[in-house]
Amino acid sequence: SQQGEEDPQALSIQEGENATMNCSYKTSINNLQWYRQNSGRGLVHLILIRSNEREKHSGRLRVTLDTSKKSSSLLITASRAADTASYFCATGMNTGFQKLVFGTGTRLLVSP
Amino acid sequence: DTAVSQTPKYLVTQMGNDKSIKCEQNLGHDTMYWYKQDSKKFLKIMFSYNNKELIINETVPNRFSPKSPDKAHLNLHINSLELGDSAVYFCASSQDRGVGYTFGSGTRLTVV
């Protein structure tokens, strides 16, 4: 089964609003990463947070990680129409070699 | 220059045929991956190679055979294609553990 479950499955907001996506996972991890996928394109790495970190920022992105609850959130502030995409969390497992397991994704629609 | 390039971008073929998808990365990364994204957007790892050596082989039918002639290339050969093989196949690469992946733009395979 998929390692990560994302919530909500779809999110529709207006430009300028903030968008929050949540990810829950099941087993211990080495790191958690967020990716964006525009329609018909490949995935683009956004941000990585390690298991010993609680919060990380990159531009308009803010990621939190709660290993006790096995959950993470991605906040996009002051959203733009260009942020419209699917967002996936991916967990890096504690195995000999890195193996990223992806969540189910959140489809974000930002309307002008 | 495209960092991870896949060819072809689209592939339409009949059931029973054998086809190959090629992937090349010019990032100098040691590890390459094949992921399958189904119609529901679930991304599932298939294979991973580190310096030409197979390190991850998920539960994939043995009709799928990866080949890595060198660490910059990872090809995927599929024998006796079935309708259920229709999906988008993504190649990715990374350097070391605990870092983000760089994805190719995907190959959309349609089996008719």
Side-chain angles (χ1 to χ4, degrees), chain B residues 87-102:
Chain B
V88 182
Y89 292 84
F90 286 100
C91 177
S93 71
S94 72
Q95 183 70 7
D96 299 327
R97 296 177 59 191
V99 297
Y101 288 11
T102 302

PDB file of all heavy atoms in Angstrom, chain B residues 87-102:
ATOM      1  N   ALA B  87       0.548   3.465 -18.654  1.00  0.00           N
ATOM      2  CA  ALA B  87       0.853   4.341 -17.521  1.00  0.00           C
ATOM      3  C   ALA B  87       1.877   5.362 -18.003  1.00  0.00           C
ATOM      4  O   ALA B  87       2.319   5.330 -19.154  1.00  0.00           O
ATOM      5  CB  ALA B  87       1.438   3.548 -16.344  1.00  0.00           C
ATOM      6  N   VAL B  88       2.255   6.250 -17.098  1.00  0.00           N
ATOM      7  CA  VAL B  88       3.377   7.142 -17.378  1.00  0.00           C
ATOM      8  C   VAL B  88       4.570   6.629 -16.580  1.00  0.00           C
ATOM      9  O   VAL B  88       4.468   6.400 -15.368  1.00  0.00           O
ATOM     10  CB  VAL B  88       3.069   8.602 -16.992  1.00  0.00           C
ATOM     11  CG1 VAL B  88       4.262   9.498 -17.343  1.00  0.00           C
ATOM     12  CG2 VAL B  88       1.814   9.096 -17.696  1.00  0.00           C
ATOM     13  N   TYR B  89       5.673   6.430 -17.245  1.00  0.00           N
ATOM     14  CA  TYR B  89       6.879   5.915 -16.616  1.00  0.00           C
ATOM     15  C   TYR B  89       7.880   7.059 -16.477  1.00  0.00           C
ATOM     16  O   TYR B  89       8.201   7.746 -17.445  1.00  0.00           O
ATOM     17  CB  TYR B  89       7.475   4.770 -17.447  1.00  0.00           C
ATOM     18  CG  TYR B  89       6.580   3.550 -17.433  1.00  0.00           C
ATOM     19  CD1 TYR B  89       5.506   3.446 -18.316  1.00  0.00           C
ATOM     20  CD2 TYR B  89       6.781   2.519 -16.520  1.00  0.00           C
ATOM     21  CE1 TYR B  89       4.656   2.348 -18.279  1.00  0.00           C
ATOM     22  CE2 TYR B  89       5.949   1.421 -16.481  1.00  0.00           C
ATOM     23  CZ  TYR B  89       4.890   1.341 -17.359  1.00  0.00           C
ATOM     24  OH  TYR B  89       4.047   0.255 -17.320  1.00  0.00           O
ATOM     25  N   PHE B  90       8.341   7.242 -15.245  1.00  0.00           N
ATOM     26  CA  PHE B  90       9.278   8.323 -14.957  1.00  0.00           C
ATOM     27  C   PHE B  90      10.632   7.752 -14.568  1.00  0.00           C
ATOM     28  O   PHE B  90      10.731   6.842 -13.739  1.00  0.00           O
ATOM     29  CB  PHE B  90       8.776   9.195 -13.805  1.00  0.00           C
ATOM     30  CG  PHE B  90       7.653  10.103 -14.163  1.00  0.00           C
ATOM     31  CD1 PHE B  90       6.344   9.771 -13.853  1.00  0.00           C
ATOM     32  CD2 PHE B  90       7.893  11.293 -14.831  1.00  0.00           C
ATOM     33  CE1 PHE B  90       5.288  10.609 -14.182  1.00  0.00           C
ATOM     34  CE2 PHE B  90       6.851  12.138 -15.166  1.00  0.00           C
ATOM     35  CZ  PHE B  90       5.556  11.800 -14.847  1.00  0.00           C
ATOM     36  N   CYS B  91      11.647   8.336 -15.147  1.00  0.00           N
ATOM     37  CA  CYS B  91      13.021   8.061 -14.747  1.00  0.00           C
ATOM     38  C   CYS B  91      13.447   9.183 -13.801  1.00  0.00           C
ATOM     39  O   CYS B  91      12.993  10.329 -13.939  1.00  0.00           O
ATOM     40  CB  CYS B  91      13.903   8.044 -15.993  1.00  0.00           C
ATOM     41  SG  CYS B  91      15.657   7.811 -15.670  1.00  0.00           S
ATOM     42  N   ALA B  92      14.286   8.871 -12.848  1.00  0.00           N
ATOM     43  CA  ALA B  92      14.789   9.878 -11.909  1.00  0.00           C
ATOM     44  C   ALA B  92      16.209   9.530 -11.521  1.00  0.00           C
ATOM     45  O   ALA B  92      16.657   8.385 -11.682  1.00  0.00           O
ATOM     46  CB  ALA B  92      13.895   9.956 -10.672  1.00  0.00           C
ATOM     47  N   SER B  93      16.907  10.508 -10.980  1.00  0.00           N
ATOM     48  CA  SER B  93      18.258  10.253 -10.489  1.00  0.00           C
ATOM     49  C   SER B  93      18.491  11.033  -9.212  1.00  0.00           C
ATOM     50  O   SER B  93      17.804  12.021  -8.932  1.00  0.00           O
ATOM     51  CB  SER B  93      19.314  10.626 -11.540  1.00  0.00           C
ATOM     52  OG  SER B  93      19.386  12.030 -11.694  1.00  0.00           O
ATOM     53  N   SER B  94      19.453  10.574  -8.429  1.00  0.00           N
ATOM     54  CA  SER B  94      19.822  11.280  -7.202  1.00  0.00           C
ATOM     55  C   SER B  94      21.272  10.969  -6.867  1.00  0.00           C
ATOM     56  O   SER B  94      21.843   9.980  -7.341  1.00  0.00           O
ATOM     57  CB  SER B  94      18.912  10.885  -6.036  1.00  0.00           C
ATOM     58  OG  SER B  94      19.201   9.569  -5.596  1.00  0.00           O
ATOM     59  N   GLN B  95      21.831  11.812  -6.040  1.00  0.00           N
ATOM     60  CA  GLN B  95      23.201  11.602  -5.590  1.00  0.00           C
ATOM     61  C   GLN B  95      23.163  11.343  -4.093  1.00  0.00           C
ATOM     62  O   GLN B  95      22.750  12.192  -3.319  1.00  0.00           O
ATOM     63  CB  GLN B  95      24.059  12.831  -5.893  1.00  0.00           C
ATOM     64  CG  GLN B  95      25.513  12.696  -5.521  1.00  0.00           C
ATOM     65  CD  GLN B  95      26.249  11.707  -6.416  1.00  0.00           C
ATOM     66  OE1 GLN B  95      25.711  11.211  -7.394  1.00  0.00           O
ATOM     67  NE2 GLN B  95      27.485  11.417  -6.078  1.00  0.00           N
ATOM     68  N   ASP B  96      23.566  10.150  -3.691  1.00  0.00           N
ATOM     69  CA  ASP B  96      23.606   9.813  -2.270  1.00  0.00           C
ATOM     70  C   ASP B  96      22.214   9.705  -1.660  1.00  0.00           C
ATOM     71  O   ASP B  96      21.206   9.915  -2.313  1.00  0.00           O
ATOM     72  CB  ASP B  96      24.426  10.851  -1.476  1.00  0.00           C
ATOM     73  CG  ASP B  96      25.854  10.908  -1.967  1.00  0.00           C
ATOM     74  OD1 ASP B  96      26.366   9.854  -2.390  1.00  0.00           O
ATOM     75  OD2 ASP B  96      26.437  12.006  -1.937  1.00  0.00           O
ATOM     76  N   ARG B  97      22.200   9.410  -0.376  1.00  0.00           N
ATOM     77  CA  ARG B  97      20.939   9.300   0.348  1.00  0.00           C
ATOM     78  C   ARG B  97      20.517  10.665   0.857  1.00  0.00           C
ATOM     79  O   ARG B  97      21.308  11.563   0.994  1.00  0.00           O
ATOM     80  CB  ARG B  97      21.126   8.372   1.554  1.00  0.00           C
ATOM     81  CG  ARG B  97      21.462   6.959   1.220  1.00  0.00           C
ATOM     82  CD  ARG B  97      21.680   6.168   2.485  1.00  0.00           C
ATOM     83  NE  ARG B  97      20.491   6.198   3.332  1.00  0.00           N
ATOM     84  CZ  ARG B  97      20.502   5.765   4.575  1.00  0.00           C
ATOM     85  NH1 ARG B  97      21.600   5.312   5.128  1.00  0.00           N
ATOM     86  NH2 ARG B  97      19.399   5.804   5.304  1.00  0.00           N
ATOM     87  N   GLY B  98      19.246  10.766   1.132  1.00  0.00           N
ATOM     88  CA  GLY B  98      18.776  11.961   1.816  1.00  0.00           C
ATOM     89  C   GLY B  98      18.805  13.223   0.997  1.00  0.00           C
ATOM     90  O   GLY B  98      18.932  14.315   1.536  1.00  0.00           O
ATOM     91  N   VAL B  99      18.706  13.087  -0.302  1.00  0.00           N
ATOM     92  CA  VAL B  99      18.645  14.272  -1.159  1.00  0.00           C
ATOM     93  C   VAL B  99      17.480  14.118  -2.120  1.00  0.00           C
ATOM     94  O   VAL B  99      16.935  13.032  -2.297  1.00  0.00           O
ATOM     95  CB  VAL B  99      19.952  14.472  -1.954  1.00  0.00           C
ATOM     96  CG1 VAL B  99      21.117  14.720  -1.020  1.00  0.00           C
ATOM     97  CG2 VAL B  99      20.229  13.278  -2.844  1.00  0.00           C
ATOM     98  N   GLY B 100      17.094  15.241  -2.732  1.00  0.00           N
ATOM     99  CA  GLY B 100      15.976  15.200  -3.654  1.00  0.00           C
ATOM    100  C   GLY B 100      16.323  14.499  -4.955  1.00  0.00           C
ATOM    101  O   GLY B 100      17.489  14.395  -5.332  1.00  0.00           O
ATOM    102  N   TYR B 101      15.295  14.008  -5.595  1.00  0.00           N
ATOM    103  CA  TYR B 101      15.445  13.375  -6.887  1.00  0.00           C
ATOM    104  C   TYR B 101      15.238  14.401  -7.995  1.00  0.00           C
ATOM    105  O   TYR B 101      14.468  15.352  -7.843  1.00  0.00           O
ATOM    106  CB  TYR B 101      14.377  12.301  -7.095  1.00  0.00           C
ATOM    107  CG  TYR B 101      14.535  11.030  -6.293  1.00  0.00           C
ATOM    108  CD1 TYR B 101      15.441  10.905  -5.252  1.00  0.00           C
ATOM    109  CD2 TYR B 101      13.726   9.935  -6.574  1.00  0.00           C
ATOM    110  CE1 TYR B 101      15.550   9.731  -4.541  1.00  0.00           C
ATOM    111  CE2 TYR B 101      13.819   8.748  -5.865  1.00  0.00           C
ATOM    112  CZ  TYR B 101      14.740   8.656  -4.845  1.00  0.00           C
ATOM    113  OH  TYR B 101      14.846   7.502  -4.136  1.00  0.00           O
ATOM    114  N   THR B 102      15.866  14.159  -9.131  1.00  0.00           N
ATOM    115  CA  THR B 102      15.582  14.918 -10.338  1.00  0.00           C
ATOM    116  C   THR B 102      14.859  13.972 -11.292  1.00  0.00           C
ATOM    117  O   THR B 102      15.381  12.898 -11.603  1.00  0.00           O
ATOM    118  CB  THR B 102      16.874  15.430 -10.993  1.00  0.00           C
ATOM    119  OG1 THR B 102      17.581  16.249 -10.046  1.00  0.00           O
ATOM    120  CG2 THR B 102      16.541  16.267 -12.220  1.00  0.00           C
TER     121      THR B 102
END
